[in-house]
Amino acid sequence: MKRIITSLIILATTLPMLAQGWPEKYEGVMLQGFYWDSYADTKWTNLESQADELSQFFDLIWVPNSAYANDLKNNMGYHPVYWFDHKSAFGTEAELRSMIQTFKQKGTGIIEDVVINHRASVDNNWLNFPAETYKGTTYQLTAADICQNDEAKDNGFKPSGANDTGDNWGGARDLDHTSENVQKNVKAYLDFLLNDLGYTGFRYDMVLGYGAQYIGIYNHAAQPKFSVMECWKDYNTIVNYINGSKYDGVIQSAAFDFPMKYNINDVFANASNWSKLNNSALCTNSQMARYAVTFVDNHDTGRQGESPLYANVEAANAYMLMLPGTPCVWLSHWKTYKNTIKKLILIRKAAGIHNQSEIITREANNNGYLLIVKGNKGKVALVLGKPEIGFNNAEDQYHEVLSGTNFSLSVSKDVDVSGLDNIKDDAFTAPDCCVVNEGEVCAFFEAPTSFTNVKCWAWDAKNNYTGGSWPGAACTKVGTHNGKNVWKWTYNGTLTSLPTNIIFSNNGASQTSDLDFSNGGYYNEAGAIQGVVTGIFTVKATASQDQLLRVYTIGGHLLRVMPAGTSVNEALNQLGHGLYIINGKRYVK
């Protein structure tokens, strides 16, 4: 009998384990390591250079599709031509492999953006796909692997596969996933991603383009630990896709929580309608939370014309990062609100919140919202807005550990948040093109790439400072930063007071939300960068031997003298909010 049991154990260890879609009670946090046209920020070498910092906060990083798409300069990879050749607009295959390996050594897995709904051809022949060899086998798609109702049929070509099992995509040829050859090619491709390149898991693009059962087939074969579907749809459809991914009765993939995203937009855009946070979402359903990958914005929703969140972005990230599910922070938000997001992640991990944590309280009134979540190591209490709601402080002895516009976050006495002391507020280095002249009233705007004619609308309760009709005064393009154009608005009249609010727009069409005005302030589409500017100052060293640093207003009034040898960071740590010009560079604190 002992020999039989041993044999069964050996047999069990040699059989592949069924994928579970996403690990249970997972405490990890993911970063979407790109935004649209993020070619500089998302270069494999650039991401790798940040591995020490990113790996401290993120357990997973989702990167763009890395397969070759016949363009090494301006291609996000969503119309891949090759599946086994991974040079791209983000770097060479060798650089990709190095980046993946560097993060893996630091405990952070890389998630590949898998595009298998459609595929582009190698040339103008819409049905000409490359032959590629992997592990001694050649893989190639033919006209018989393209859905017969693909638009290729209307353009002189003859696809001969079965009808599409999902939505059509007109930009490339829709694959017939009922085809045995398509399934063979996809399985080999996924094996290559995991076992050759070293990816940890998959983000499946546009799964509405084919039946959910094919995700089950592919993941059962590939066995990724992490799999998340982009099912850009309503709550019920997403739940059906998660359940539809089952193989032998076992769910094979998580999904992005689009319902939560739209609840966030409805509420945080105006800090109102707080009860909508109780609308259906994957992360707040105890049966679905394990399979919920939550987000505030991503490369698609963050683009103009989609549904970006411009207001209360820090509060929205606080909400996401305190909920069950697996939170996915967007790179643009990470860059803009890095210190706050670092602290939120540390608080989440200190409390031991995971993707199936218990929600104790979800309570809204007209003024705000209260969320209390229990992690493995303690509880967090997040107050949004200004609710007339209290929570039991006597039993758990909550104390506030972080606050910002429209949010306050407290933890119970058993949560150790001492790690927050190690996160210092960094000053933002404004681009050199942001010159503020003496006595000038102005503001700078790092515009989305879709903005071509930036206008400014600035006002207070009594006056408009940018003309009598919307969209206001024209801005002047002064330079570039982060691959985007930087525009400057300057007030040319005489002021007795400053504006209180400001809006930037693309000639009145796509626009930011109402933003708080700060003179000399630097903004992007998400709002003011790194705090509020309350003054404009210059820091100079004296000509004497002691080289004391002296802080002046732009007008020349001496404010402070600092010891010899004070570094830029040390000086900024001693100063309040403001725009500081130090050694010719501009820092916003």
Side-chain angles (χ1 to χ4, degrees), residues 351-354 357-360 372-380:
I353 298 175
H354 54 77
S357 284
E358 178 187 357
I359 297 177
I360 298 173
I372 300 180
V373 178
K374 181 180 180 181
N376 288 331
K377 303 172 186 175
K379 299 175 185 176
V380 297

Side-chain angles (χ1 to χ4, degrees), residues 287-535:
Q287 301 303 308
M288 285 287 115
R290 171 179 174 178
Y291 305 108
V293 177
T294 56
F295 67 102
V296 174
D297 265 315
N298 64 28
H299 63 295
D300 282 326
T301 68
R303 287 193 287 175
Q304 291 298 322
E306 296 296 343
S307 55
L309 181 68
Y310 288 139
N312 296 300
V313 175
E314 288 179 299
N317 275 279
Y319 176 66
M320 173 186 71
L321 281 159
M322 295 306 119
L323 280 170
T326 299
C328 182
V329 175
W330 188 33
L331 180 61
S332 293
H333 289 168
W334 168 254
K335 285 164 57 67
T336 304
Y337 307 104
K338 183 181 290 188
N339 286 333
T340 297
I341 291 174
K342 282 182 177 180
K343 293 174 183 177
L344 289 169
I345 292 172
L346 286 184
I347 293 167
R348 177 186 179 89
K349 294 191 173 186
I353 298 175
H354 54 77
N355 60 356
Q356 294 172 286
S357 284
E358 178 187 357
I359 297 177
I360 298 173
T361 301
R362 296 166 65 203
E363 186 175 348
N365 65 18
N366 291 334
N367 298 314
Y369 192 86
L370 172 64
L371 172 74
I372 300 180
V373 178
K374 181 180 180 181
N376 288 331
K377 303 172 186 175
K379 299 175 185 176
V380 297
L382 177 65
V383 175
L384 299 168
K386 299 176 181 178
E388 298 167 358
I389 301 173
F391 53 95
N392 186 354
N393 194 49
E395 178 183 349
D396 294 299
Q397 296 183 23
Y398 288 96
H399 62 284
E400 184 181 86
V401 291
L402 185 64
S403 64
T405 302
N406 280 319
F407 82 93
S408 171
L409 183 58
S410 299
V411 299
S412 56
K413 62 182 178 181
D414 44 356
V415 177
D416 179 7
V417 292
S418 58
L420 294 179
D421 296 336
N422 298 322
I423 298 178
K424 305 299 182 183
D425 290 335
D426 298 324
F428 166 73
T429 305
D432 291 339
C433 60
C434 297
V435 177
V436 181
N437 300 308
E438 182 175 347
E440 187 175 33
V441 175
C442 63
F444 301 91
F445 180 55
E446 182 183 301
T449 55
S450 59
F451 278 38
T452 57
N453 186 11
V454 174
K455 296 291 183 70
C456 175
W457 184 258
W459 75 98
D460 61 21
K462 296 181 179 180
N463 302 299
N464 177 278
Y465 300 87
T466 46
S469 60
W470 174 263
C475 297
T476 302
K477 186 164 60 177
V478 293
T480 60
H481 190 237
N482 292 327
K484 300 177 182 179
N485 290 325
V486 177
W487 301 74
K488 180 180 181 180
W489 168 70
T490 302
Y491 181 72
N492 296 316
T494 301
L495 284 177
T496 57
S497 61
L498 292 175
T500 57
N501 296 95
I502 192 167
I503 291 175
F504 296 97
S505 73
N506 190 26
N507 199 31
S510 302
Q511 66 179 69
T512 67
S513 59
D514 296 359
L515 306 172
D516 293 333
F517 176 79
S518 57
N519 193 23
Y522 189 89
Y523 302 83
N524 68 6
E525 65 267 32
I529 300 287
Q530 201 70 29
V532 178
V533 179
T534 55

